[in-house]
Amino acid sequence: MVSKYSFPITKIRLANQITDVIASLEDETPDILCIELDMVTEDRWEMVKSFIHRYSGQVIAITAEATFERAIQAMSIKAIDLWVKPLAPTKVKHSLQQAIRNLSASRKQAAETELGHIVRYEALFIDDKVPFPYPVYVLEAEHREDLNDLRNFFEGFDFYYKPSVFSTPERIFLVFHDDFPNPVKQAQRLFREWGLSKGSSIAIVVHSGSEDSLHQIYLKLLRMMEITFFTGYNQVLVSEDIQEWKDFDPFLTVEEQRNWVYMLDEGQGDKLKTWMYGEFFDMKPPYPEPGLLRTRLTSILAQIRRFMFRKGLKSKDSEDYYKKISEIILHSPVLYRIVQELILFINYLFQMISEQDVHVKGDVTWAAIEYMENNYTDSKLSLSEVASHVDRSPSYLSHLLTKKYHQSFREMLIYIRLQKAKELLGSTDESIQNIAHSVGFSNPNYFSRVFKSYMGRSPRDWKLQK
């Protein structure tokens, strides 16, 4: 029964003779003593009682005789309960839980006296340099709206060792005041009972005790919780398993950018899906820092954004969807959900192109932008040349571009060139002068002025930051 109910009990000793009981009390000083009163003869009662008072923690008395005399005996040894045979399992469970709670309360008081202060909320965030030797849990819900339910759940949960509960807007910390056995097993019990009660996704990280301060423990728990970005929720983790982040370049290489442009323009949804799965779903620890993964996903979204720009996908629905995906990349707690949403967005854009027939040769603005994308390296590329390519007058093409994209031909060409320049600054060791020439600026000084005007930083500062 002890095993079934996951009591934090590590050792059980049985004694059939009163002499063995006395020896066990003296040698092992048990936390809980369950003693059958009927086995103690009247002439030995006072001696046994003195050993019980001296060496036992919580006492539970047992008898087969529900008499007043047995009740008086139980009271004289300060028993918290008197079990009358036959025993009911629920009665046994309740009494053991009460005994464990009493032990926890007394240890908490002793711990506070030893530490010289009561653990306060501020200790999580300000390092007081005081070692905290007891277990600490952090709990996080995949969906933040579940946090209130989680807080309410703790109010009715039957903790064997009652913790202090500290809440932040994103997670909950349970700070214990007792060094109880197997904190991971107790966290798994908490996790199971939450699942039976609510079923929504949570993760628990367990710190089992060390010489660290509470603030240092707090930082370790948060760092370990970040692993859920890769592995998902619905698990119990251990802070001691923490690993350093792996070095990782978050930006797409020039070759990867070309592949993305090609796969998007050709509508190769299956190949894009395969690439995304291979890139993000085969990761093994040590993992890269989650923020770098979000940067890489943002870099991919930038390629998709340029694809939308080339294809003229500027409806309110597509813009709203794009903003939603941008928020998901920045804030969604689990990597695989971000990847799935990104794939769905790409398929949505392909469907829009199919339904609205925007990718047709008769779309003059699309053909003009495609020509600019293919010839932006030519520093002499002009509106007249592009207009001639699409068989329209320069003034009419300028009117179409401004009406559809709210940008002039010159602004669009500069935008294309600067996007290419940013990619080269971040991914190559080429000089700024060579990069300026390669993206269509014949004068490097003019390139630097334009870049700083649009980007807020000089090309050199941009390159150093990357």
Side-chain angles (χ1 to χ4, degrees), residues 1-3 7 9-15 28 30 32 34 96:
M1 191 190 67
V2 166
S3 174
F7 290 114
I9 296 173
T10 56
K11 184 177 182 181
I12 299 172
R13 173 76 182 272
L14 300 177
E28 303 187 47
I32 301 172
C34 300
L96 288 175

Side-chain angles (χ1 to χ4, degrees), residues 166-186:
F166 299 127
S167 294
T168 70
E170 296 84 20
R171 53 193 68 89
I172 298 171
F173 294 85
L174 304 183
V175 180
F176 293 88
H177 305 275
D178 304 272
D179 189 12
F180 55 89
N182 205 335
V184 175
K185 183 177 180 181
Q186 299 307 316

Side-chain angles (χ1 to χ4, degrees), residues 308-321:
M308 293 173 66
F309 183 77
R310 291 196 304 273
K311 305 306 182 187
L313 300 175
K314 302 286 285 184
S315 70
K316 183 179 183 305
D317 287 344
S318 63
E319 288 296 301
D320 289 345
Y321 200 165

Side-chain angles (χ1 to χ4, degrees), residues 139-157:
L139 298 93
E140 189 171 290
E142 181 175 357
H143 306 291
R144 193 173 296 179
E145 58 269 21
D146 292 327
L147 272 181
N148 281 335
D149 288 340
L150 195 54
R151 293 186 186 100
N152 294 333
F153 173 74
F154 292 142
E155 293 180 3
F157 186 74

